[in-house]
Amino acid sequence: MHSGQQKMWSKCIPFVRVSCDGNELAYVREVLESGWLTTASKAQEFERRFAQEVGTRFAIAVNSCTSALHLGLEAMGVGPGDKVLVPTMTFTASAEVVRYLDADPVFLDVEYGSSLITPEIVAEGIDRHPDAKALIVVHFAGQSARMLSQDGPGILEVCRQRGLKVLEDAAHAFPTRCGERMVGGLGDATCFSFYANKTITTGEGGMLTTDDEAIAARARVMRLHGIDRDVWSRFTAEKPSWEYDVIAPGYKYNMPDINAAIGLAQLERAWSMRDQRQRCATHYLQRLAELEAVDPPLVHVPPEDHAWHLFVLTVKPQARVNRGRLIELLAARGIGTSVPYRPLHRMSYYRDRYQLKAEEFPQAERIWRGCVALPLYPTLSDDEIDYICNSLYELLG
Ligand SMILES: *Cc1c(COP(=O)(O)O)cnc(C)c1O
């Protein structure tokens, strides 16, 4: 029950609140005092711990998830003229990296309610484009797509049978389980984001994880100017340390130790922060169960397996106010929201370049017309969630 206008207008619930109240400051101080601010021992330690957490052989720290996606595709051999399947309901980074390599994204529709691609959607995409070289999977909102076989083939099996590489965009999905395993060690390579609004942050940052030695080696070289350090250390150990070789025109994608220090502190609290977000999501789901005007997020996994990065409602077409108006009215009550995402087939660059029609993406269109993400972070209190839910009932009920 809400407690009148006066109290109502005094609330301020931002869409994102960053939680940096662990060892972040202490670890950053260590870096500053060490005098070594770029990539060194903290980045290495962050890689080691992250690999342990997701259960992969290799983890390669970089300066963004976008960089990780670029490195992953490059290491898989995607090049000019290749086709890469990408869901339309994602951030532009998932598709722009395909263009970096002069390859072409082929957009897939998604499942209504979850915004995930399914094995069926992938199989149909491959039927339409049998020459596709790779698939990018987005674990939307922090829920794993159906990667593993269970009552039918999973996405990995579909792709393996048809010869496609699988790169996972797990920008929303840490920590996320898929069955008994963690997202990070499923496909050929997986990319994580530590951007400020993600489930754990380094300010800006990303990670590429893989069990594939060749992908790891290539990504490591390309991460830092194409300098082949392995060759250098193996064959020229007796040479002076200033000597190195460049074997490709690489990139400048390394993660500085300052950022890795923040990441190490965040990693310590990744699971407890996830638990808090689950508390929020469970509370929302209970409170909003009777709100006819919206569809709640479709969840296929046990709540413990979900990273709960986003809580996305879809406002139904027959609702009293539409999505745009709802966002304004919530903002007037001090409630921040977001719209993830305007699908890529509606972005002028992709739409015009590939002559995309909205009718080809019926489920993404349904989502797009109504989707709105509510605040979801560890420090969101039950009272704040009640206030948000009461507001939704008042505006839509
Ligand atoms: C945030 C995000 C990215 C990009 O992450 P950066 O670390 O900012 O490069 C990529 N894909 C998805 C789905 C995202 O949400």
Side-chain angles (χ1 to χ4, degrees):
M1 202 168 289
H2 81 87
S3 40
Q5 293 291 86
Q6 201 107 47
K7 182 128 184 257
M8 210 161 83
W9 303 113
S10 66
K11 289 266 186 194
C12 175
I13 309 175
F15 179 63
V16 177
R17 236 185 241 144
V18 178
S19 303
C20 276
D21 48 359
N23 287 319
E24 285 83 355
L25 211 52
Y27 295 169
V28 169
R29 182 184 295 273
E30 281 174 27
V31 173
L32 295 178
E33 286 172 356
S34 79
W36 194 281
L37 308 191
T38 183
T39 305
S41 61
K42 282 276 192 272
Q44 269 182 10
E45 193 184 338
F46 187 38
E47 289 178 339
R48 199 171 56 243
R49 299 241 176 121
F50 198 87
Q52 245 165 28
E53 206 59 66
V54 298
T56 52
R57 290 175 70 195
F58 309 104
I60 293 152
V62 288
N63 59 358
S64 72
C65 180
T66 309
S67 305
L69 289 163
H70 185 194
L71 290 174
L73 278 188
E74 202 271 346
M76 287 173 186
V78 169
D82 286 340
K83 288 182 186 171
V84 178
L85 306 179
V86 185
T88 186
M89 195 48 100
T90 185
F91 184 57
T92 184
S94 316
E96 75 191 32
V97 294
V98 177
R99 294 295 304 137
Y100 290 2
L101 295 162
D102 234 346
D104 294 304
V106 172
F107 293 101
L108 302 178
D109 202 5
V110 295
E111 178 188 59
Y112 180 77
S114 72
S115 290
L116 292 169
I117 51 171
T118 62
E120 294 75 28
I121 291 171
V122 172
E124 198 213 51
I126 301 173
D127 286 343
R128 278 187 291 122
H129 300 274
D131 54 339
K133 182 135 185 182
L135 164 74
I136 295 179
V137 180
V138 177
H139 299 295
F140 195 95
Q143 174 175 211
S144 174
R146 210 172 343 128
M147 302 302 286
L148 306 174
S149 302
Q150 190 190 28
D151 316 320
I155 289 173
L156 289 176
E157 191 179 329
V158 169
C159 288
R160 214 174 291 122
Q161 280 173 353
R162 310 288 294 265
L164 275 79
K165 297 274 187 196
V166 177
L167 182 67
E168 293 168 65
D169 179 340
H172 300 180
F174 182 78
T176 294
R177 286 198 199 86
C178 181
E180 301 293 297
R181 293 157 71 185
M182 290 288 293
V183 165
L186 300 166
D188 293 285
T190 305
C191 305
F192 295 90
S193 176
F194 312 127
Y195 183 69
N197 67 7
K198 298 293 158 73
T199 56
I200 71 167
T201 185
T202 60
E204 297 272 2
M207 190 75 81
L208 182 107
T209 62
T210 182
D211 284 321
D212 184 315
E213 194 149 15
I215 289 176
R218 178 68 181 179
R220 253 196 211 114
V221 165
M222 296 307 280
R223 162 176 69 170
L224 197 67
H225 302 299
I227 293 173
D228 192 337
R229 279 193 180 140
D230 285 341
V231 169
W232 166 61
S233 57
R234 235 181 300 144
F235 299 111
T236 64
E238 71 279 10
K239 284 194 181 173
S241 61
W242 45 262
E243 208 169 308
Y244 60 83
D245 193 19
V246 172
I247 60 162
Y251 312 107
K252 183 66 168 72
Y253 283 170
N254 57 301
M255 175 185 284
D257 263 23
I258 296 178
N259 303 79
I262 300 171
L264 280 166
Q266 291 268 300
L267 202 50
E268 294 171 351
R269 294 180 299 123
W271 288 96
S272 63
M273 292 195 293
R274 193 217 67 86
D275 292 347
Q276 288 300 315
R277 291 191 303 273
Q278 182 179 323
R279 166 188 59 80
C280 299
T282 306
H283 195 137
Y284 273 134
L285 287 168
Q286 280 166 358
R287 283 294 324 271
L288 297 175
E290 263 106 63
L291 186 56
E292 289 286 325
V294 303
D295 282 321
L298 189 58
V299 179
H300 301 291
V301 299
E304 311 78 58
D305 291 3
H306 199 310
W308 297 110
H309 171 51
L310 297 174
F311 190 91
V312 184
L313 295 176
T314 316
V315 181
K316 292 179 185 170
Q318 65 270 27
R320 203 138 52 81
V321 296
N322 67 24
R323 183 264 313 274
R325 184 77 187 122
L326 178 68
I327 288 173
E328 285 171 12
L329 294 169
L330 288 172
R333 291 164 180 246
I335 300 167
T337 56
S338 173
V339 175
Y341 294 94
R342 176 174 160 193
L344 296 181
H345 70 261
R346 281 184 164 264
M347 297 294 185
S348 61
Y349 172 73
Y350 299 110
R351 185 193 62 210
D352 296 349
R353 184 178 174 91
Y354 298 107
Q355 283 139 42
L356 302 172
K357 304 262 177 300
E359 308 88 78
E360 300 165 45
F361 307 94
Q363 302 313 318
E365 283 290 305
R366 266 178 86 197
I367 298 167
W368 156 245
R369 281 191 289 271
C371 65
V372 56
L374 303 179
L376 180 65
Y377 37 80
T379 57
L380 186 68
S381 70
D382 289 345
D383 281 352
E384 287 175 319
I385 296 170
D386 283 333
Y387 172 75
I388 294 166
C389 293
N390 290 340
S391 296
L392 287 168
Y393 275 99
E394 284 163 23
L395 297 170
L396 292 169

